[in-house]
Amino acid sequence: MKSGSPPRQRTLRPLVVSWLLAGITSAYAQADMVDLPLEQLMQMQVTTASRYAQTALEAPAAVSVVTAEDIRLFGYRSLAEVLASMRGLYVSYDRAYHYLGTRGFATPGDYNTRVLLLVNGVRLNDNVYDQASIGTDFPIDLDLIERVEFVSGPGSAVYGANAFFGVVNVITRDGHQLPGPQVAVEAGSQGSAKARLSVGTVDADGGDWLVAATRATRRGADLYFPSYDAPNSNHGVAQGLDFDRSTQLFARMRRDGLALTLAHAERHKGVPTAAFSQVFNDPRSRVTDQSTRLAAEYTAQVSPTLAFTGRAHAARYQYVGDYVYDYPPLTINRDVGTGQWWGGELQWVSTALARHKLVWGLDYRRDTRITQTNADLDPPAEYLNARRTGDVAGVYVQDEFALQPNLTLHTGLRWGKQTGSSGTLNPRLGLVYWWNPATAIKLLHGTAYRPPNAYERDYRVDQPGGIVDSQHVRSERVRTTELALEHAPSGGTRYLLTAFSSEVKDLISMSAAASIDRFLLDNTHSVKVHGVEAELEQRWQAGQRLRLVYGWQKARDSSVDGTLSNSPRHLLKVQWSDTVSASPASAWGRGRYAIETIGVGPRSTSSGTNLPGHLLTNVNYSMRISQVDVSVGIYNLFNQRHYSATSLEIRDDALRQDGRTFRVKLTYAF
């Protein structure tokens, strides 16, 4: 068991642009600060909300963006840390995988199946577990990322299944953004080390090339688990089992509207938790993730009013878990999940009709292989051998209709069908009203669905170590309504306030059965979530930056009339950065520091234990010394004790997370 947008031929865009120009010009004349350049503000576009480029104010969603500069400035080490800095998101970690919580909803151990993860617009979730990999199993080095976009709320009207609570889109960099050979090395706490070699170039024919390889290792710390504190289990200390070793290969080429991408990753992770009733503190307990992804994208301007995008992709993913049991005899139980698939997408964007921007398209995925096996190695015994193939297809249409110069109606409808589940229609409605040139009010409503994946359908293992069973699970459904206010009076100022309400039906979840080693997957839960979020971002003339984010949410499980587990009521994010000037003779030169504090409120575990809230502070300092970029980061600066809630397969219902750690990174471009 596994642990480019065409020109708009309509009246709205010129009016809005002229209003924004007038408003921002006035703001510049009156401000005491030097804001971001006007060009940067006007070109600050997102692509995830509607599958085509539009400004964040235009988008029928409240979009969060973390750029390559943010990643460097705050010293983020994983995609999980990037996402944890965003509005409405929080992360849990069970020493095998990282799990993303969205607006108070984070069922422990769900493998991020309710968030769709894209890389350059192509789905990354595998076809066995539907997992969105955000930890060290994410296949792309953060140095190769241009920006990360997150669109909260249901997105099935645009993307289909898994776009349940939100969509994450990782946009990678091109060769001209990392020109020439470049080497990056880093070292840190708990024996962590990492090295990257990349080469970027633009050839004589205009082809843009980027090739990179990354190797990372981490010894990890010895960890204490109170529930195993006994003489026959090493007094609860797992020694040398928190190791993490990963390799990443990445290549990308762009030329004349064609982009080709290859990403390959392998990760080997120790499992110190003895999940699924394993023998505690056995060094053979580990999981391995391997993935290979190929993608091709072609874009063309067919006519002045019609743009075309075509994508093709193929991928393979394999999970191998080695679990040690003493039945007797002492044996390794090997759990394997393998998926292979290919697919494609065709999309057209038309501005031929006055005041309309029409988008329509279709996508298809063929699951050529989905296998799950479970067997003891010695003596050999097989408990599971499940195989299936399948198809996933969808057809969608969207319309961006300028009802008035300051009022836009966004509509969308998608029909989707997956083998083993009935077809489903998912609509999207959005009204964007421009109160003034710098202020947009958005009323949004949408639905989404998530059919049970192959793991939830087929995984039935009966063995002395445990049973996992699923009984006719159905598709989950969610309906969300949101009201958002966005205000950007200048290039250096942005405010956002949003209120939302979601209702989830037929939630697929794991529950304990009569035996402590037996677990069931079923649809017995319904959840209602509502909340408010506020965000402020300000930049000053001298380079200072401030960002404040607060979220309040309340999630209740209506089936048991109680608060949802692992659901904090409060989320807080505070970021501050500024430059530091030193004398020219100083070895440290001129640098920049960044401070980030992340607060997560109290929440309960699956067994009802209350976890206290915590505030974690991270500090990063970056500078250049003799053509070498240097970054020094300290994480959990005040060594705060904090915990993550776990799922039922782990005996301890909460796991203590890392205390204070550090990292030093050096980057040199030849």
Side-chain angles (χ1 to χ4, degrees):
M1 179 179 183
K2 186 175 180 184
S3 186
S5 177
R8 299 189 178 191
Q9 306 296 321
R10 65 184 196 184
T11 61
L12 175 65
R13 183 63 177 269
L15 284 173
V16 170
V17 169
S18 63
W19 284 343
L20 284 171
L21 286 171
I24 296 171
T25 301
S26 175
Y28 264 69
Q30 300 173 9
D32 294 329
M33 64 191 77
V34 176
D35 297 322
L36 292 177
L38 176 62
E39 296 80 11
Q40 182 175 345
L41 173 65
M42 298 305 295
Q43 297 174 9
M44 189 63 173
Q45 295 182 323
V46 295
T47 60
T48 309
S50 301
R51 276 189 163 179
Y52 57 81
Q54 56 192 165
T55 67
L57 278 176
E58 290 178 301
V63 186
S64 297
V65 180
V66 172
T67 66
E69 174 61 19
D70 297 326
I71 293 173
R72 184 194 67 81
L73 183 62
F74 289 95
Y76 296 134
R77 298 168 295 180
S78 67
L79 181 59
E81 292 185 349
V82 171
L83 296 173
S85 73
M86 290 183 167
R87 172 175 41 83
L89 301 182
Y90 58 104
V91 173
S92 302
Y93 180 45
D94 68 356
R95 297 292 168 182
Y97 295 96
H98 289 78
Y99 305 96
L100 187 64
T102 57
R103 289 181 164 178
F105 193 102
T107 302
D110 74 349
Y111 304 120
N112 303 322
T113 58
R114 299 176 182 92
V115 174
L116 180 63
L117 177 58
L118 310 173
V119 172
N120 298 323
V122 176
R123 173 190 171 101
L124 196 77
N125 301 62
D126 65 76
N127 67 344
V128 183
Y129 310 99
D130 278 344
Q131 180 174 3
S133 302
I134 64 172
T136 54
D137 50 338
F138 179 68
I140 300 174
D141 192 309
L142 289 192
D143 289 348
L144 309 179
I145 293 176
E146 175 61 23
R147 69 183 186 274
V148 179
E149 299 178 3
F150 174 70
V151 178
S152 57
S156 286
V158 182
Y159 293 101
N162 297 110
F164 201 77
F165 288 131
V167 179
V168 176
N169 191 10
V170 177
I171 292 91
T172 61
R173 309 180 89 173
D174 295 321
H176 72 274
Q177 295 170 303
L178 289 171
Q182 190 176 97
V183 174
V185 295
E186 60 184 74
S189 301
Q190 301 177 6
S192 62
K194 185 177 179 180
R196 170 182 59 86
L197 173 64
S198 65
V199 179
T201 188
V202 178
D203 62 32
D205 296 322
D208 188 296
W209 298 83
L210 177 62
V211 179
T214 302
R215 175 66 175 173
T217 63
R218 183 173 181 267
R219 183 185 66 248
D222 294 342
L223 302 174
Y224 170 69
F225 298 90
S227 63
Y228 290 97
D229 194 346
N232 61 351
S233 54
N234 200 35
H235 296 283
V237 178
Q239 294 178 304
L241 280 177
D242 197 32
F243 65 84
D244 195 324
R245 299 188 289 268
S246 62
T247 302
Q248 299 168 326
L249 301 174
F250 180 82
R252 182 165 170 83
M253 186 280 290
R254 290 176 65 94
R255 181 183 177 186
D256 297 333
L258 176 66
L260 303 176
T261 304
L262 164 67
H264 174 78
E266 300 179 6
R267 182 190 75 144
H268 304 275
K269 179 69 182 69
V271 181
T273 59
F276 302 106
S277 303
Q278 293 182 71
V279 174
F280 183 77
N281 194 37
D282 192 296
R284 294 171 293 179
S285 178
R286 64 189 63 199
V287 296
T288 299
D289 299 274
Q290 297 182 1
S291 65
T292 303
R293 325 269 177 163
L294 293 166
E297 177 182 278
Y298 178 73
T299 59
Q301 193 70 39
V302 180
S303 73
T305 60
L306 183 64
F308 169 77
T309 300
R311 292 188 179 99
H313 56 89
R316 183 180 189 273
Y317 170 79
Q318 184 174 70
Y319 158 83
V320 178
D322 282 348
Y323 300 124
V324 183
Y325 291 105
D326 186 2
Y327 294 149
L330 187 70
T331 185
I332 294 178
N333 176 261
R334 177 160 292 174
D335 196 68
V336 182
T338 304
Q340 293 180 185
W341 65 95
W342 59 267
E345 173 197 337
L346 303 175
Q347 176 183 290
W348 293 265
V349 180
S350 172
T351 56
L353 296 178
R355 299 195 298 164
H356 288 268
K357 188 166 190 176
L358 289 170
V359 182
W360 67 93
L362 55 92
D363 49 51
Y364 173 78
R365 187 182 87 224
R366 174 60 180 171
D367 293 328
T368 57
R369 179 185 180 187
I370 304 176
T371 62
Q372 298 178 81
T373 61
N374 184 281
D376 291 342
L377 299 186
D378 186 21
E382 184 176 89
Y383 304 103
L384 171 69
N385 191 341
R387 301 176 181 272
R388 70 162 56 225
T389 59
D391 303 273
V392 182
V395 181
Y396 61 92
V397 61
Q398 299 179 71
D399 183 22
E400 182 181 333
F401 178 24
L403 298 172
Q404 299 289 337
N406 62 342
L407 181 63
T408 306
L409 173 65
H410 296 262
T411 59
L413 185 66
R414 178 188 174 98
W415 175 86
K417 177 72 169 65
Q418 180 168 321
T419 300
S421 299
S422 58
T424 180
L425 280 171
N426 287 275
R428 178 174 80 163
L429 294 173
L431 272 175
V432 178
Y433 173 68
W434 297 84
W435 181 272
N436 59 47
T439 307
I441 301 174
K442 305 177 181 182
L443 179 61
L444 313 169
H445 179 79
T447 67
Y449 75 104
R450 187 184 77 85
N453 52 50
Y455 165 69
E456 291 166 334
R457 291 180 184 276
D458 300 336
Y459 200 97
R460 296 177 176 88
V461 175
D462 194 345
Q463 65 182 74
I467 304 175
V468 178
D469 200 358
S470 58
Q471 297 294 329
H472 310 295
V473 288
R474 305 179 301 277
S475 294
E476 301 175 337
R477 300 184 182 276
V478 64
R479 184 184 306 272
T480 299
T481 301
E482 184 169 358
L483 179 63
L485 170 66
E486 292 192 54
H487 181 55
S490 68
T493 304
R494 177 176 175 266
Y495 307 102
L496 182 143
L497 180 65
T498 180
F500 60 89
S501 178
S502 298
E503 183 177 2
V504 182
K505 294 183 177 180
D506 296 325
L507 177 67
I508 301 172
S509 59
M510 181 186 293
S511 58
S515 169
I516 192 173
D517 292 329
R518 179 179 172 87
F519 307 102
L520 297 176
L521 291 169
D522 53 38
N523 294 95
T524 59
H525 296 270
S526 296
V527 176
K528 293 183 178 180
V529 186
H530 61 272
V532 294
E533 295 169 343
E535 183 170 357
L536 176 152
E537 185 170 2
Q538 181 69 61
R539 301 174 185 237
W540 283 274
Q541 177 181 7
Q544 300 96 333
R545 289 176 50 183
L546 172 67
R547 179 171 168 264
L548 301 173
V549 182
Y550 172 73
W552 176 92
Q553 54 271 319
K554 184 177 181 180
R556 294 192 64 82
D557 188 339
S558 56
S559 58
V560 297
D561 192 26
T563 302
L564 196 67
S565 66
N566 198 27
S567 178
R569 191 71 58 89
H570 306 278
L571 292 174
L572 176 68
K573 319 287 174 71
V574 180
Q575 294 180 342
W576 170 261
S577 65
D578 194 6
T579 57
V580 175
S581 299
S583 64
S586 171
W588 293 91
R590 179 181 174 89
R592 189 173 184 90
Y593 71 90
I595 302 173
E596 179 180 55
T597 296
I598 296 179
V600 179
R603 61 209 185 281
S604 63
T605 68
S606 55
S607 64
T609 302
N610 291 322
L611 294 181
H614 61 261
L615 281 172
L616 302 181
T617 299
N618 307 319
V619 179
N620 193 71
Y621 185 77
S622 52
M623 65 212 143
R624 168 161 284 205
I625 303 176
S626 300
Q627 306 304 312
V628 177
D629 292 319
V630 181
S631 177
V632 180
I634 303 176
Y635 306 87
N636 192 1
L637 175 66
F638 301 109
N639 202 28
Q640 292 292 300
R641 178 178 297 214
H642 64 294
Y643 297 83
S644 282
T646 64
S647 53
L648 294 175
E649 70 268 17
I650 297 177
R651 183 181 295 184
D652 293 276
D653 61 355
L655 295 182
R656 184 175 177 179
Q657 302 299 292
D658 288 338
R660 185 188 300 112
T661 59
F662 73 91
R663 182 192 71 164
V664 178
K665 180 179 180 181
L666 309 177
T667 305
Y668 178 73
F670 294 89

